[in-house]
Amino acid sequence: MPVQNARQILTQSLQRLGYALLLPVSILPLAALLYRLGQPDVLDLAVLSLAGRALFSQMPLIYAVAIAFGLSRQGQGAQAMAGAVNFLLLSSALATLAPGLHADMICGLLAGLTTALVCSWTRSLPLPAWLQQLQGELPGLLLSALICLLLVIPLSLLWPLLEQGITLVASDLLTTPFGAFCYGVLNRLLIPLGLHQVLGSLVGLGESNLQALATAQPLHEGYVAGLYPIIMFGLPGACFAIWLHRQRLQRLPQGGLLLTLALTSALVGITEPIEFLFAFVAPWLFLTHALLTGISLGICSSLGIKVGSYFSAGLLDLVLSYSAGEHSFWLIPLGILFFVAYALIFSLLLDHAPLSLPSKPIADELPRLANVAPTDPQMLAIQYLKVLGGMDNLQAMSVCLTRLSLRVRDMTLVDQLRLTGLGCLSWIELNEHQLVLVLGPNASLIEGQIRMLAERQSVPLGLEPSQAPLSQSL
């Protein structure tokens, strides 16, 4: 039991770190777009190019602020400011003690983590009577700054060796076909846990990626080209297979929804709505998807196709990264092959093991088609509250792009059969109190409306659905 609790705490901590990394990662496409539009062959506006390069150059600082803020208990602004200050202290001291290191990004990660951990620890630490006036944020801010300064000594000694190891992995191992295959499989398998951002950030600390970031060039050029055929073509092919499968079963095909998911993946590279559609209810499809992703990365590595990525390998990213890549054109015919492969393989798998999405046959559903989910965000949030058992049944809630994580008092009050009618793509019941809804682009909007309704009714909603008494833990 203690080992299981420790594993759960570690997983939850890494998930929170992955969510915190989403903010700096989401800034990369904006920086890339500004930089590309300012180039002489596009708009030839130096101010745009300089603005994009400025964002890239400050990414370590943005990482420090985002991690310190994202891991704070209630999202304290003071903790975010402390993350920025601690990064400046750590990077300046390291540059003085050991000049010439490519260590800004690791300084940003360490400053953010140190600030979050130290501030969280000191907040519950009892102080002597003569220091009671300092109770609050100040002890954590001062102590985290001191620890960051002390980290300079071991970091100056260990970072050159660690950077060589990371560079070896990223530049020599992952650039081989087998290494690219392993990275692709692991990258997709970590998505349900929210840890793929952690993996990408860790392997991105190598010297080649740090230099690419400093010069506003695409990252991970040597081994991520294979993501483009999967995200732009393969996952839309999976949506096509699911649409055909529902047609054969005489179920509502949900063609509009599946088309939206396919376009979201192909154009901007946001794949979570599709992957969570079958990650929980059809794990055999998700495992097949992970293996096909690895195969795509392995093929691109074998053919010498090298196209980096700023954010996620969608059409926008390909347009921005095309000119800097090698053999970029071949991603298109390869992508068409993966569209066909996904459509055929998923169709065969769905025939043998149908996708159990809750829905009645078309004949039974036709009378209910007029009762569609409301388009008004507040009314939609009210409908979700009714399905979830009312405001009194909610204890905590958090959002991550397309997912809404909830902790409820009584899971039996949740009418899960009505979730599909409100536009919920899929969901998973993690335990008797925790529920994860995959809502797509509406997740943040619905979360904000529910919180606004909770404030009006003076109902306190926590921010950490995964935290529960030990008796309720997995």
Side-chain angles (χ1 to χ4, degrees):
M1 190 65 178
V3 175
Q4 190 174 13
N5 287 335
R7 187 185 302 116
Q8 182 186 2
I9 293 173
L10 177 61
T11 301
Q12 292 174 358
S13 300
L14 289 174
Q15 286 175 340
R16 291 182 62 199
L17 176 60
Y19 298 156
L21 290 172
L22 285 174
L23 176 60
V25 170
S26 63
I27 294 176
L28 288 174
L30 172 62
L33 189 59
L34 290 174
Y35 178 77
R36 190 70 187 93
L37 289 176
Q39 296 302 302
D41 59 333
V42 187
L43 297 180
D44 195 16
L45 292 175
V47 63
L48 293 180
S49 181
L50 290 174
R53 186 181 288 273
L55 284 176
F56 277 111
S57 65
Q58 297 302 321
M59 282 307 296
L61 176 61
I62 296 173
Y63 265 84
V65 173
I67 293 174
F69 181 80
L71 296 183
S72 62
R73 291 297 181 186
Q74 299 295 333
Q76 292 93 344
Q79 192 163 308
M81 179 62 72
V85 172
N86 290 339
F87 163 73
L88 295 175
L89 289 174
L90 182 57
S91 59
S92 299
L94 185 62
T96 302
L97 187 62
L101 294 180
H102 299 87
D104 276 355
M105 187 59 73
I106 191 64
C107 287
L109 295 174
L110 286 178
L113 287 172
T114 302
T115 303
L117 294 175
V118 173
C119 289
S120 176
W121 175 67
T122 56
R123 197 171 294 118
S124 58
L125 188 67
L127 294 178
W130 57 281
L131 288 177
Q132 286 296 324
Q133 293 183 351
L134 296 179
Q135 190 74 39
E137 299 295 332
L138 186 58
L141 303 184
L142 295 176
L143 185 58
S144 63
L146 176 61
I147 292 178
C148 282
L149 286 176
L150 294 177
L151 282 175
V152 172
I153 299 175
L155 188 60
S156 64
L157 298 175
L158 296 177
W159 178 244
L161 296 177
L162 292 175
E163 184 180 335
Q164 289 179 8
I166 296 172
T167 300
L168 174 65
V169 171
S171 301
D172 295 338
L173 297 181
L174 294 183
T175 52
T176 65
F178 180 73
F181 169 81
C182 293
Y183 175 83
V185 174
L186 185 59
N187 179 275
R188 295 296 98 179
L189 290 180
L190 289 177
I191 279 186
L193 299 176
L195 301 181
H196 58 296
Q197 298 291 356
V198 179
L199 175 66
S201 297
L202 288 178
V203 299
L205 292 175
E207 182 178 353
S208 58
N209 281 308
L210 292 177
Q211 290 177 342
L213 188 64
T215 56
Q217 296 301 311
L219 305 174
H220 316 290
E221 184 184 50
Y223 51 90
V224 301
L227 289 177
Y228 286 99
I230 300 298
I231 293 176
M232 290 178 56
F233 296 92
L235 287 175
C239 289
F240 180 66
I242 294 174
W243 179 78
L244 290 177
H245 168 68
R246 295 182 69 81
Q247 289 276 19
R248 288 195 298 268
L249 292 182
Q250 291 296 302
R251 304 274 176 165
L252 283 177
Q254 298 179 339
L257 174 63
L258 291 170
L259 178 61
T260 300
L261 299 182
L263 289 176
T264 301
S265 175
L267 297 179
V268 295
I270 298 178
T271 63
E272 285 185 332
I274 302 177
E275 290 169 321
F276 275 82
L277 184 64
F278 49 78
F280 296 132
V281 297
W284 59 92
L285 294 180
F286 188 73
L287 179 59
T288 303
H289 165 55
L291 292 174
L292 287 172
T293 302
I295 291 173
S296 177
L297 266 71
I299 291 175
C300 287
S301 178
S302 300
L303 297 178
I305 303 174
K306 296 181 179 181
V307 182
S309 173
Y310 287 107
F311 172 59
S312 186
L315 179 61
L316 174 61
D317 221 342
L318 181 60
V319 171
L320 295 173
S321 306
Y322 187 91
S323 58
E326 298 180 14
H327 310 296
S328 305
F329 170 78
W330 292 105
L331 292 177
I332 305 302
L334 187 61
I336 295 173
L337 292 177
F338 270 94
F339 178 91
V340 175
Y342 265 78
L344 292 177
I345 294 174
F346 272 51
S347 295
L348 292 174
L349 291 174
L350 289 170
D351 286 340
H352 289 86
L355 185 65
S356 57
L357 290 176
S359 177
K360 294 181 181 180
I362 292 179
D364 297 335
E365 288 284 346
L366 285 177
R368 299 178 56 191
L369 288 180
N371 187 22
V372 297
T375 56
D376 180 68
Q378 190 171 21
M379 290 302 299
L380 185 59
I382 292 173
Q383 293 297 321
Y384 268 102
L385 281 174
K386 291 180 179 179
V387 170
L388 295 171
M391 186 69 75
D392 293 336
N393 197 38
L394 283 183
Q395 293 180 306
M397 176 175 57
S398 68
V399 65
C400 176
L401 286 183
T402 59
R403 305 191 300 276
L404 191 64
S405 298
L406 305 162
R407 189 170 76 240
V408 297
R409 289 185 172 87
D410 187 356
M411 189 65 72
T412 60
L413 297 179
V414 179
D415 189 357
Q416 299 186 20
L417 294 179
R418 294 175 56 195
L419 286 172
T420 303
L422 294 178
C424 183
L425 304 178
S426 65
W427 61 89
I428 180 172
E429 187 177 326
L430 297 179
N431 52 51
E432 59 182 358
H433 293 283
Q434 191 177 354
L435 182 70
V436 177
L437 308 181
V438 182
L439 304 179
N442 289 328
S444 297
L445 188 62
I446 294 172
E447 190 262 354
Q449 291 294 325
I450 292 178
R451 287 203 178 276
M452 184 178 66
L453 294 171
E455 291 177 1
R456 290 179 180 176
Q457 302 179 27
S458 300
V459 176
L461 280 182
L463 294 170
E464 300 179 20
S466 59
Q467 285 198 346
L470 290 179
S471 60
Q472 298 176 2
S473 61
L474 288 172

